[in-house]
Amino acid sequence: MRGSKVGLADLKRMKKDLQAEREREALAKRVAVLKKPESPPMDDMAAFKRTMKSVTPIKAPARAEHKPVPEPAPALRRANALGETPARADAGVSDGGEITHLLSEAGTAFVRSDAAPDTARNLRRGQWRTGAELDLHGLRVEQARHALLSFLDECQEHGIRCVRIVHGKGYGSQGLEPVLKDKARTWLVQKNEVLAFSEAPEREGGAGALLVLLRQSEGMRK
């Protein structure tokens, strides 16, 4: 009977020891998990890029671009302010017409009848200082006509009397014919504002340019 009691007590103690051993093992596992080194923190940008890989970009809706409207020329601005239809600078000026009889100095100069006969010669000698210049290289005839006559109107408006027109010598034209050279003279003769013109000296373009003298506008005389 006593042996049975001792055996039962031993059995209870062994059970208790086994339970304690299990608890120690469980605690050891928990401690091991807590002590496990953490992985190094991921760089913010790298984490963002990794996240964005799975993101589908949204296409931006098409937008209409509103480009600024170019500012009109002074003459056009004035006409718009008055509610008028602006007149083209080259209105009434033609491309044709024989003007050889109007030219002087072997066809290199022109002097209007109400100007002094030596005006073209003095122009070539530099009596009037050149205040503006226009280069017609690369323009078609229609473009060159409008550019030249608009240029003259603007110069007269601003009180510029002497200008230089570069029309070239025709080396780049078909057949090496100086188309703009003759056209420019034809247009200038038809403009009453042109008092005289002369082929420029060699240092200023020679046969490829003209020096032009304009009338003094009424507004500038006052």
Side-chain angles (χ1 to χ4, degrees), residues 106-146:
T108 63
F110 165 77
V111 180
R112 203 165 292 281
S113 59
D114 58 345
D118 60 347
T119 301
R121 193 170 305 162
N122 291 334
L123 187 61
R124 183 179 174 87
R125 290 174 178 173
Q127 180 171 329
W128 291 273
R129 183 178 179 181
T130 303
E133 178 181 301
L134 175 67
D135 193 342
L136 300 176
H137 278 105
L139 298 181
R140 295 191 296 271
V141 172
E142 182 179 353
Q143 295 172 325
R145 181 193 341 109
H146 183 68

Side-chain angles (χ1 to χ4, degrees), residues 21 23 26 42 45 51 59 65 96 99 105 114 122 128 142 147 164 172 202 210:
E21 183 65 26
E23 289 179 357
M42 186 180 297
M45 183 56 69
T51 303
K59 294 183 179 180
E65 293 187 9
I99 63 168
E105 300 184 27
D114 58 345
N122 291 334
W128 291 273
E142 182 179 353
R164 188 163 78 108
E202 284 300 322
L210 290 173

Side-chain angles (χ1 to χ4, degrees), residues 162-178:
C162 182
V163 300
R164 188 163 78 108
I165 307 296
V166 181
H167 48 64
K169 299 180 180 179
Y171 296 146
S173 304
Q174 187 175 3
L176 300 180
E177 291 295 328

